[in-house]
């Protein structure tokens, strides 16, 4: 009977607190843990704007309410200071806090569960080697019934596979390494895979097929991608390594933080992820053919330009063209990749374009990418809608015009991205 009740209410035991004394991990393990923490963006989520690194308190909005990230520093009272490795391992695999409380999947433990024990040890070693900082985590503000954490037991029963990654023997070692990182610590699906009504990532063909996250569109990375030039392994590699690649746009919004963290990973890991991602796309033509597709996209934009004279075109010439031309003028700032190659222009959704115009590019992923001011204060919703209509017609003439742009601009402006 007790078993039944505790089972029903999702009760899980606490793991006894421990007193951590002298560090027992080698410098090498700690260093490996640092790289793994970067792969998992631990310190992106677990740092509040302006807050001390890793002390948590960053608010995460979900459709079910707001949850705050926790203090990952080894402070005994408010952080992981009294967590044994088993408690940490259980949190990463099963989404349970040390005291047995269920955690919300805004913490991507459904992905982190794929991580090997060895890597979890290294992560733990690294976290425990950081300076302890006292910082209380604000209480989650979830709506009823989602404020009842034990309900997550039922959700986990449906959606959590707590087994570490199992290699696919039919694929290469490199592909498997990429799958391990993309599905596991990289939690790429947390942003790039659409979710169902319960907040679980859809499976099968929906994996990495594109989704909205924090007001940004995380585009499809598979055959359903709307990119002007098909993605291949080399382009994925360059984008993840440098935040941009010659045949595509640059990484902005939340993806710039991801790319920033990926800088810590060795080249082999980035290449492995690229190899894995490429396998979700059609076998790519030779690089020379892809370059030809890119040149055609730029040429198409130049042709459509001549048919689009009017106020929006003048606005573009005045406000944007000094920095954005198609390789036919001096590069004032940054890369100045032709806009015809950016998924922000060719996507079904105008969100990333509108957000970039409103908010600019304030924290470029890497140094080659330039800074751009936001135009939210100087352009009205109507002007931005006109500009977006023009940009779509000029740079993605192959795609249908976006409809309802004024209301999209108002919607995007209302909810700032992070
Ligand atoms: C996408 C944002 C995000 C990322 C990335 C993330 N976390 Fe978290 N994490 C959270 C949130 C939100 C919570 C709190 C969940 C809750 O309160 O239910 C949390 C909770 C935790 C907890 C439980 C702490 C406690 O006191 O119960 C641990 C442990 C943890 N994260 C470790 C990590 C590690 C290690 C990484 C990197 C590999 C990481 N997290 C990356 C969002 C994130
Ligand atoms: C926190 C959310 C988030 C996570 C995690 C994330 N992405 Fe992204 N990703 C985005 C967003 C948003 C964009 C669009 C950025 C832009 O266009 O400026 C993007 C863009 C991309 C693009 C370019 C797509 C295109 O057509 O332009 C690639 C490739 C990509 N991500 C790969 C990955 C991989 C691989 C991972 C895991 C290692 C990952 N992303 C993790 C949010 C995320
Ligand atoms: C002072 C220079 C400057 C001006 C003016 C400017 N931008 Fe930018 N813009 C940049 C830089 C730098 C980037 C980051 C990418 C890069 O380095 O080329 C960028 C990025 C973008 C992107 C994302 C491109 C991608 O790779 O996905 C879009 C879209 C964009 N700008 C549109 C505009 C529009 C529309 C205007 C006018 C309202 C404008 N920009 C004005 C410098 C500028």
């Amino acid at each position: 009977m007790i078993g039944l009740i505790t089972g029903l209410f999702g009760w899980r035991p606490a793991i006894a607190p421990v007193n951590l004394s002298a560090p027992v991990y080698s410098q090498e393990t700690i260093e490996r843990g640092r790289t793994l923490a970067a792969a998992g963006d631990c310190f992106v989520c677990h740092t509040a704007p302006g807050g001390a690194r890793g002390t948590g308190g960053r608010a995460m909005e979900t459709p079910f309410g707001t949850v705050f990230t926790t203090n990952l520093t080894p402070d005994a009272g408010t952080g992981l200071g009294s967590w044994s490795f088993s408690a940490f391992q259980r949190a990463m695999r099963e989404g349970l806090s040390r005291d047995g409380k269920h955690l919300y999947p805004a913490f991507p433990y459904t992905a982190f569960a794929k991580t090997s024990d060895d890597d979890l040890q290294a992560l733990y070693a690294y976290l425990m080697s950081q300076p302890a900082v006292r910082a209380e985590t604000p209480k989650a503000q979830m709506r009823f019934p989602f404020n009842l954490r034990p309900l997550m037991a039922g959700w986990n029963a449906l959606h959590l596979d707590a087994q570490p990654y199992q290699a696919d023997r039919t694929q290469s070692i490199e592909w498997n390494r990429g799958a391990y990182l993309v599905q596991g610590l990289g939690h790429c699906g947390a942003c790039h895979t659409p979710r169902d009504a319960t907040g679980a990532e859809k499976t099968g063909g929906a994996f990495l097929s594109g989704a909205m996250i924090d007001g940004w569109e995380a585009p499809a990375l598979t055959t359903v991608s709307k990119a002007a030039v098909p993605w291949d392994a080399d382009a994925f590699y360059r984008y993840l390594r440098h935040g941009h690649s010659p045949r595509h746009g640059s990484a902005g919004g939340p993806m710039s933080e991801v790319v920033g963290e990926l800088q810590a990973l060795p080249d082999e890991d980035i290449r492995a992820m690229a190899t894995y991602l490429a396998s979700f796309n059609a076998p790519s033509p030779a690089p020379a053919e892809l370059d030809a597709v890119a040149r055609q996209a730029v040429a198409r934009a130049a042709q459509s330009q001549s048919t689009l004279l009017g106020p929006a075109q003048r606005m573009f010439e005045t406000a944007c063209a000094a920095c954005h031309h198609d390789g036919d003028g001096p590069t004032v700032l940054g890369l100045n990749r032709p806009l015809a190659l950016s998924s922000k222009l060719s996507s079904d959704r105008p969100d990333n374009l509108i957000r970039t115009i409103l908010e600019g590019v304030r924290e470029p992923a890497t140094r080659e990418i330039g800074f751009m001011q936001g135009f939210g204060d100087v352009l009205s919703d109507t002007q931005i809608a006109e500009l977006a209509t023009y940009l779509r017609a000029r740079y993605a003439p192959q795609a249908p015009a976006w409809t309802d742009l004024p209301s999209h601009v108002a919607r995007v402006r209302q909810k700032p991205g992070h």
Side-chain angles (χ1 to χ4, degrees), residues 33 36-46 58-60 62 67-72 78-80 83 87-92 95-99 101-109 112 115 120 123-124 127 137-140 142 149 152 184-187 190-191 195 213-214:
L36 295 165
D41 302 326
C42 313
F43 289 92
V44 172
C45 280
H46 284 268
R58 173 159 167 176
M60 294 192 61
T62 79
V67 55
F68 294 88
T69 58
T70 58
N71 183 353
L72 286 189
T78 61
L80 302 182
W83 285 49
F88 177 71
Q89 183 190 36
R90 187 178 71 165
M92 296 291 279
L96 293 164
S97 192
R98 189 190 60 75
D99 62 8
K101 175 180 82 179
H102 282 274
L103 297 164
Y104 293 112
F107 164 42
Y109 62 88
F112 293 163
T115 311
L120 287 181
L123 255 177
Y124 177 77
L127 293 175
T137 301
K139 207 170 150 8
M142 303 294 268
R149 288 183 177 262
M152 290 311 303
L185 280 175
H187 68 284
C191 294
R195 293 173 189 264
I213 180 80
D214 288 335

Side-chain angles (χ1 to χ4, degrees), residues 320-343:
C320 324
C323 302
H324 293 286
H325 50 75
D326 295 341
D328 48 3
T331 300
V332 178
L333 257 182
L335 307 158
N336 188 26
R337 213 37 59 70
L339 290 176
L341 302 179
S342 170
S343 294

Side-chain angles (χ1 to χ4, degrees), residues 39 41 181-182 186-192 213-214 216-221 225-227 231 236 239-240 248-258 262 273 277 342-344 352 356 418:
D41 302 326
L181 289 168
V182 166
H187 68 284
C188 313
C191 294
H192 286 274
I213 180 80
D214 288 335
W216 285 83
E217 180 191 13
L221 305 179
S225 163
K226 291 285 192 276
W231 285 91
F236 280 128
Y239 183 95
L240 296 173
H248 298 274
S250 54
M255 193 60 201
S256 66
E257 293 171 306
V258 173
L262 289 178
M273 287 197 273
L277 292 174
S342 170
S343 294
K344 294 178 184 75
N352 289 1
T356 305
H418 79 250

Side-chain angles (χ1 to χ4, degrees), residues 43-378:
F43 289 92
V44 172
C45 280
H46 284 268
T47 304
R53 186 169 182 272
T55 56
R58 173 159 167 176
M60 294 192 61
E61 319 278 348
T62 79
F64 314 103
T66 304
V67 55
F68 294 88
T69 58
T70 58
N71 183 353
L72 286 189
T73 76
D75 177 62
T78 61
L80 302 182
S82 62
W83 285 49
S84 62
F85 171 67
S86 317
F88 177 71
Q89 183 190 36
R90 187 178 71 165
M92 296 291 279
R93 286 260 162 74
E94 300 181 56
L96 293 164
S97 192
R98 189 190 60 75
D99 62 8
K101 175 180 82 179
H102 282 274
L103 297 164
Y104 293 112
F107 164 42
Y109 62 88
T110 47
F112 293 163
K114 301 263 171 295
T115 311
S116 70
D117 279 342
D118 223 37
D119 281 353
L120 287 181
Q121 285 278 4
L123 255 177
Y124 177 77
Y126 171 67
L127 293 175
M128 290 303 164
S129 75
Q130 296 302 293
V133 181
R134 208 185 144 69
E136 216 63 71
T137 301
K139 207 170 150 8
Q141 295 155 5
M142 303 294 268
R143 283 193 304 279
F144 179 82
F146 310 106
N147 57 341
L148 304 174
R149 288 183 177 262
L151 292 182
M152 290 311 303
W155 190 93
N156 285 339
L158 291 173
H159 304 299
L160 172 66
D161 171 9
Q163 292 309 307
Y165 178 75
Q166 304 292 318
D168 179 344
R169 304 268 164 234
T170 67
Q171 298 283 356
S172 68
I173 291 174
E174 188 181 47
W175 185 96
N176 274 294
R177 175 71 185 159
Y180 172 74
L181 289 168
V182 166
Q183 297 176 19
L185 280 175
H187 68 284
C188 313
C191 294
H192 286 274
T193 302
R195 293 173 189 264
D196 67 16
T198 72
E201 287 170 35
K202 294 185 183 168
T203 53
F207 182 55
L208 301 180
S209 68
M212 292 302 293
I213 180 80
D214 288 335
W216 285 83
E217 180 191 13
L221 305 179
T222 64
T223 44
V224 296
S225 163
K226 291 285 192 276
V229 184
W231 285 91
D232 66 345
D234 182 56
F236 280 128
Y237 164 77
R238 290 183 188 222
Y239 183 95
L240 296 173
R241 183 81 292 177
H242 306 289
H244 59 89
S245 77
R247 300 182 212 112
H248 298 274
S250 54
M255 193 60 201
S256 66
E257 293 171 306
V258 173
V259 169
E261 291 293 303
L262 289 178
Q263 300 304 296
L265 269 66
D267 249 12
E268 308 86 81
D269 280 349
I270 306 286
R271 286 203 191 277
M273 287 197 273
T275 298
Y276 174 66
L277 292 174
S279 72
F280 288 89
N281 292 271
S284 65
E289 279 175 58
L290 290 173
D291 287 338
V293 178
R295 276 195 305 275
Q296 278 157 21
V298 176
R300 213 166 38 210
Q303 266 167 16
S304 46
Q305 180 189 8
S306 55
T307 65
L308 292 168
L309 303 169
Q313 194 244 353
R314 285 194 295 276
M315 197 167 18
F316 181 78
E317 294 302 329
T318 316
C320 324
C323 302
H324 293 286
H325 50 75
D326 295 341
D328 48 3
T331 300
V332 178
L333 257 182
L335 307 158
N336 188 26
R337 213 37 59 70
L339 290 176
L341 302 179
S342 170
S343 294
K344 294 178 184 75
L345 278 300
S346 55
S347 170
D348 286 347
R349 306 190 61 119
D351 294 59
N352 289 1
L353 174 64
I354 295 172
R355 212 166 265 297
T356 305
I357 298 175
L358 284 171
E359 299 174 6
V361 181
R362 283 173 301 193
E363 285 168 20
T366 54
R367 245 177 295 152
E368 308 95 85
I369 303 173
F371 171 90
M372 165 178 148
Q373 69 166 100
F375 288 83
D377 294 340
V378 290

